[in-house]
Amino acid sequence: MDVQKMGQIYEGKAKKVFQTNNPDLYWIEYKDDATAFDGKKKGTIMNKGILNNKISNHFFKMLEDRGIPTHLVNQINDRESVVKAVKIILVEVVVRNIAAGSLSKRIGLPEGTMLPKTVLEFYYKDDALGDPLINDYHIQVLDLATPEQMKVISEIALKTNDILREYLKDKKIDLIDFKLEFGTHKGQVILADEISPDTCRFWDLETREKLDKDRFRRDLGNVEEAYREVLKRLTGETI
Ligand code: TMP
Ligand code: ASP
């Protein structure tokens, strides 16, 4: 039976989520809207919805091929994809290889400092609280995930880092850090949301040029061009 788009169930900052005629599937639509700093900075990145849909699907397919469970089912068109219906776990997972952004601010390591060990961080996905940094104790107190789920989440996050880093090095991109979200589908913890220049820091391996949303956050210009460059390096595609 063909999957059909039904009523909208959620609108986030970068995507809309719709029900489908199949209760196990959601339909997502990527928007061009861009926000930063808890939505305090707002803008539009032309064609971002198309670029992130394609980039994220490319990463998810590649990860699935290497044994990582993800929500991706298939791409419908430029901006829309069908995914497994998940209940989002309210823990955002950040993996860091090189110091940047809030880590540099928090612990004083200059941006670009190679970390001797991969850093894993958890944030409480709560806009009203500004997504605060939390630890395993907070996660248990708030009952956001079970210890068993957190073990799976940490393992998937670190394995995803190994796969992405290696893969991106080939494309002459250094993976500085990135954010993952997880959901449960029929009791299984799987990767959800997106992996894109909105949710990762990508630096050109040689020039160290930023190819990600920091160009928008920091008003560096050529934002759309950077996202296009990432898609081109990943798939050869120009849109
Ligand atoms: P941070 O250095 O600002 O904490 O960001 C770490 C990584 O997480 C970076 O690759 C951007 C990504 N990120 C999101 O995807 N969403 C967010 O809301 C924030 C703050 C960061
Ligand atoms: N997406 C987040 C927001 O709008 C922040 C970010 O990516 O910098 O608040």
Side-chain angles (χ1 to χ4, degrees):
M1 187 175 61
D2 266 2
V3 186
Q4 277 162 35
K5 189 178 183 178
M6 311 262 288
Q8 183 175 310
I9 49 174
Y10 176 77
E11 178 162 4
K13 291 190 282 261
K15 295 187 287 299
K16 292 178 183 174
V17 183
F18 300 83
Q19 262 168 336
T20 68
N21 53 336
N22 180 339
D24 293 331
L25 301 175
Y26 286 160
W27 184 293
I28 56 179
E29 186 185 311
Y30 284 76
K31 308 191 289 183
D32 289 346
D33 300 351
T35 64
F37 315 118
D38 288 327
K40 287 192 245 339
K41 182 183 172 94
K42 286 192 172 66
T44 303
I45 300 172
M46 284 274 287
N47 299 308
K48 178 168 81 79
I50 298 172
L51 292 157
N52 280 0
N53 187 35
K54 289 173 184 265
I55 291 169
S56 192
N57 289 347
H58 182 79
F59 281 132
F60 281 142
K61 258 184 237 138
M62 191 271 288
L63 288 165
E64 283 278 355
D65 287 347
R66 290 159 173 77
I68 302 281
T70 81
H71 71 164
L72 181 65
V73 176
N74 59 286
Q75 189 171 307
I76 297 293
N77 57 37
D78 274 359
R79 281 182 188 275
E80 297 176 300
S81 294
V82 168
V83 297
K84 291 178 182 165
V86 294
K87 184 168 182 285
I88 286 286
I89 294 170
L90 298 179
V91 178
E92 298 192 357
V93 179
V94 169
V95 185
R96 302 181 185 269
N97 299 306
I98 291 180
S102 71
L103 181 75
S104 293
K105 285 212 181 83
R106 188 178 311 112
I107 67 171
L109 286 177
E111 273 210 341
T113 309
M114 182 71 199
L115 300 170
K117 182 176 166 40
T118 303
V119 168
L120 201 57
E121 296 174 344
F122 306 118
Y123 292 85
Y124 182 18
K125 186 173 163 65
D126 185 312
D127 281 338
L129 295 174
D131 296 347
L133 181 71
I134 53 174
N135 64 26
D136 280 312
Y137 290 89
H138 304 133
I139 290 167
Q140 282 182 47
V141 166
L142 292 169
D143 200 20
L144 302 180
T146 66
E148 293 73 31
Q149 285 175 328
M150 287 313 296
K151 190 165 174 280
V152 172
I153 285 172
S154 299
E155 280 168 10
I156 295 179
L158 293 174
K159 192 169 170 207
T160 297
N161 184 46
D162 289 344
I163 296 170
L164 287 181
R165 255 182 120 180
E166 192 65 27
Y167 182 83
L168 286 165
K169 205 195 288 172
D170 232 43
K171 312 285 180 188
K172 301 278 175 277
I173 292 174
D174 204 349
L175 179 62
I176 307 306
D177 57 32
F178 60 99
K179 185 262 301 177
L180 296 175
E181 293 188 26
F182 293 83
T184 51
H185 175 81
K186 298 181 177 177
Q188 195 198 2
V189 173
I190 62 177
L191 260 187
D193 194 51
E194 66 183 87
I195 301 178
S196 72
D198 271 14
T199 64
C200 303
R201 285 196 173 92
F202 296 135
W203 293 0
D204 181 278
L205 203 57
E206 269 123 44
T207 66
R208 314 310 276 163
E209 187 190 6
K210 294 182 193 340
L211 299 172
D212 57 61
K213 196 175 164 190
D214 270 349
R215 302 204 70 85
F216 169 77
R217 296 189 189 97
R218 303 178 187 189
D219 296 318
L220 300 175
N222 295 332
V223 187
E224 185 192 347
E225 289 73 9
Y227 283 60
R228 284 179 184 274
E229 177 66 19
V230 171
L231 179 67
K232 190 164 142 225
R233 290 199 198 181
L234 295 181
T235 70
E237 199 179 349
T238 48
I239 67 145

